[in-house]
Amino acid sequence: MAAGAAVRIGPRPAVVGLGNVAMDVVRLLARDRADVDGTDILDDAHAALSADLQELHVIGRSSPAEAAFDPVMLREIAALPGVSHTVHGLTPEDETAEDPRSSVVRALPAQSAPESRLHVHWWFGTNPDAVTAHEGAVTGLRIRVRGEEVALPVTSVVTAIGFTDGQDALLPQAEIEPEARESGRVEPGLYLAGWARRGPRGTIPTQRADAKALAVQIAADLADAERGPDTWRGLGVLRPYLDRASDYEGWLRIDAAERAETSPGRPRRKMTDARRQRLLSRGAWEPLGRRDAGPTPSGEPDDGRPPLRIVYGTESGNAEVVAEALAVRLAERFATSVQDLADVAPEDLAGESVAVVVCSTYGDGELPSSARGFYERLTGGGQRLDGLTVVPFGLGDRTYGTTYTRGIDLMCEALTAASATLAVEPGRHDAASGLAAADVACTWVQDHLPLLTRSATADDSQ
């Protein structure tokens, strides 16, 4: 295929995989033109992929309960207009399972559009055996469903089940020592992160935890004068690639250009010309617009605004997105600062007049990983937070029943036990609602702005 040519997958593609990457592929293909409004998907790319689409097969070996997809993502797919669904391969146990994934899967046929433009077949307990082709084009896929052979007349196969080394891999997977996989450090100055470190497994929460631990390791190496950068081979390994790299300021220039050149209803128009990206990142020409500066990074008021600390506990990053959105929304009235609870000790909040606390829920009603240390120190250390007013907001999913937004409830119980005061009952976002968590949180905090202002300025008026 010529460089830059549009990829066409035909009217009956198959997606192999049942994780969130597979759901992203399905969601992209199943959207119609109107559904891409508000996204940064390129219209011509989406049109090339979905123009002839009639039928889509999604194939995985797992049962619904054991699959790796997020139920929220499948609900979003089920809500897309003009799409119908058939589910294959469910066992009697799957038909009665009460877990959120099984419940969402069983509901798919009932949510089908009466007159559909696209029919999606979901295959569980299914192994792909062989791809058939003729003259270089895919003509079918042979699968086994609970032991029964089935031939699907597909026109292309998209795999969403992992990755392999590229031809120019800096460090092939086979050469990575077990110790480097555990620590993330091949040697001072040369590090591994994400799937390059542990292979194609792990979720966003595990990757976040790995990344934070690796940042601590890198900081420690930087502080080690005896093994300073002059002794590191990492830069030498990367040097051939640096002419294609950009620093953060360069990224901001690309970001500003994409935002300035967008069309109505879109946040940006993605820049696909690599040469232009490099020129922009190096300041060879200026973009048409500038990125907003956002909230002040410090809680110290620089112009008379009262300080407002926003802390968050997160597993996959959603609570962090909400906290950052709140900081931007409130930046005109307050000198906002945003911190992960993993970096906050209970005593850090002593003496504060008000704090916004955003917390997600993980697993079966548990606190997210970044909030657990703070919670344990707060409940076990005897720290008192008299005078602190808390404005709480929780994230959850009603699919999980009684544990919905349990994370913020646990945090509020611990804070009030330490003599903090809740300004209001927690605001809540339901992932099943289809609404953006940041939008819900910003609307909610706007409704409570007078109360927040009074709490933040209470010390000044005394």
Side-chain angles (χ1 to χ4, degrees):
M1 178 178 293
V7 175
R8 295 192 179 275
I9 57 177
R12 295 180 302 279
V15 177
V16 179
L18 287 172
N20 284 343
V21 173
M23 295 302 110
D24 274 332
V25 174
V26 173
R27 185 167 52 179
L28 171 63
L29 295 177
R31 290 175 183 265
D32 62 17
R33 171 61 186 81
D35 286 325
V36 299
D37 283 344
T39 75
D40 56 10
I41 298 171
L42 287 172
D43 287 330
D44 49 358
H46 180 262
L49 289 170
S50 61
D52 303 322
L53 203 60
Q54 301 171 10
E55 196 172 63
L56 177 61
H57 296 270
V58 189
I59 300 161
R61 294 176 296 178
S62 304
S63 67
E66 296 169 338
F69 65 82
D70 188 325
V72 174
M73 297 184 70
L74 188 51
R75 274 198 298 270
E76 291 178 3
I77 293 170
L80 292 174
V83 181
S84 58
H85 304 270
T86 300
V87 179
H88 308 268
L90 297 187
T91 66
E93 291 78 11
D94 296 332
E95 296 286 2
T96 57
E98 298 181 356
D99 64 281
R101 291 179 180 83
S102 297
S103 298
V104 175
V105 168
R106 288 196 303 269
L108 283 170
Q111 294 177 276
S112 295
E115 296 183 6
S116 63
R117 55 182 170 79
L118 171 66
H119 193 94
V120 183
H121 292 268
W122 300 88
W123 300 86
F124 293 90
T126 299
N127 290 302
D129 275 350
V131 176
T132 59
H134 177 67
E135 295 183 352
V138 172
T139 58
L141 179 66
R142 293 202 301 270
I143 61 175
R144 281 181 294 112
V145 189
R146 307 295 183 188
E148 179 182 349
E149 291 190 4
V150 177
L152 301 177
V154 304
T155 52
S156 58
V157 177
V158 180
T159 60
I161 52 176
F163 77 103
T164 57
D165 290 331
Q167 294 182 351
D168 61 346
L170 293 178
L171 187 62
Q173 287 286 306
E175 298 179 13
I176 302 173
E177 298 293 335
E179 183 180 347
R181 291 194 187 278
E182 182 60 32
S183 67
R185 182 176 69 177
V186 179
E187 61 182 74
L190 189 60
Y191 304 87
L192 295 167
W195 282 10
R197 174 177 171 183
R198 299 191 184 276
R201 61 182 181 274
T203 60
I204 291 175
T206 59
Q207 302 298 343
R208 281 174 57 88
D210 274 359
K212 292 186 73 170
L214 184 59
V216 173
Q217 177 68 68
I218 293 172
D221 287 348
L222 286 170
D224 189 341
E226 294 182 2
R227 295 186 301 182
D230 291 342
T231 69
W232 297 359
R233 76 180 183 99
L235 183 60
V237 173
L238 291 174
R239 197 176 300 281
Y241 300 85
L242 293 181
D243 64 336
R244 291 183 285 168
S246 170
D247 61 12
Y248 181 62
E249 289 300 321
W251 180 88
L252 289 179
R253 285 191 285 271
I254 296 171
D255 177 64
E258 291 183 338
R259 292 177 182 275
E261 296 171 6
T262 192
S263 56
R266 299 296 184 89
R268 68 176 68 242
R269 177 174 175 79
K270 285 290 188 68
M271 190 181 302
T272 59
D273 185 332
R275 179 177 178 275
R276 186 179 176 221
Q277 287 180 336
R278 289 194 292 271
L279 288 171
L280 267 173
S281 71
R282 294 167 185 170
W285 74 61
E286 284 296 315
L288 299 178
R290 289 289 185 182
R291 187 173 184 270
D292 291 336
T296 57
S298 169
E300 291 297 324
D302 55 8
D303 55 6
R305 293 173 297 161
L308 177 63
R309 190 191 296 246
I310 303 172
V311 297
Y312 63 88
T314 191
E315 191 72 32
S316 61
N318 291 332
E320 180 179 6
V321 171
V322 169
E324 293 286 357
L326 290 174
V328 172
R329 176 62 63 90
L330 297 170
E332 289 187 4
R333 290 175 176 261
F334 305 94
T336 56
S337 64
V338 177
Q339 287 181 283
D340 189 336
L341 278 169
D343 303 321
V344 178
E347 54 267 28
D348 294 337
L349 299 183
E352 297 273 355
S353 59
V354 63
V356 177
V357 179
V358 182
C359 191
S360 62
T361 302
Y362 179 68
D364 190 20
E366 303 165 20
L367 284 166
S369 57
S370 81
R372 290 172 196 163
F374 176 89
Y375 179 84
E376 290 168 2
R377 291 192 295 272
L378 182 61
T379 55
Q383 177 67 50
R384 293 185 61 84
L385 298 175
D386 302 83
L388 174 66
T389 299
V390 175
V391 180
F393 189 86
L395 285 75
D397 185 336
R398 286 194 185 277
T399 304
Y400 289 85
T402 57
T403 62
Y404 168 60
T405 61
R406 180 62 177 151
I408 194 62
D409 293 335
L410 287 170
M411 192 59 67
C412 287
E413 290 168 9
L415 288 164
T416 54
S419 298
T421 300
L422 295 187
V424 292
E425 286 298 309
R428 302 179 192 272
H429 173 258
D430 176 16
S433 68
L435 302 174
D439 292 343
V440 172
C442 287
T443 299
W444 175 81
V445 82
Q446 193 70 31
D447 292 340
H448 295 94
L449 194 56
L451 183 151
L452 190 59
T453 302
R454 288 196 301 272
S455 299
T457 57
D459 285 349
D460 295 337
S461 62
Q462 293 177 356

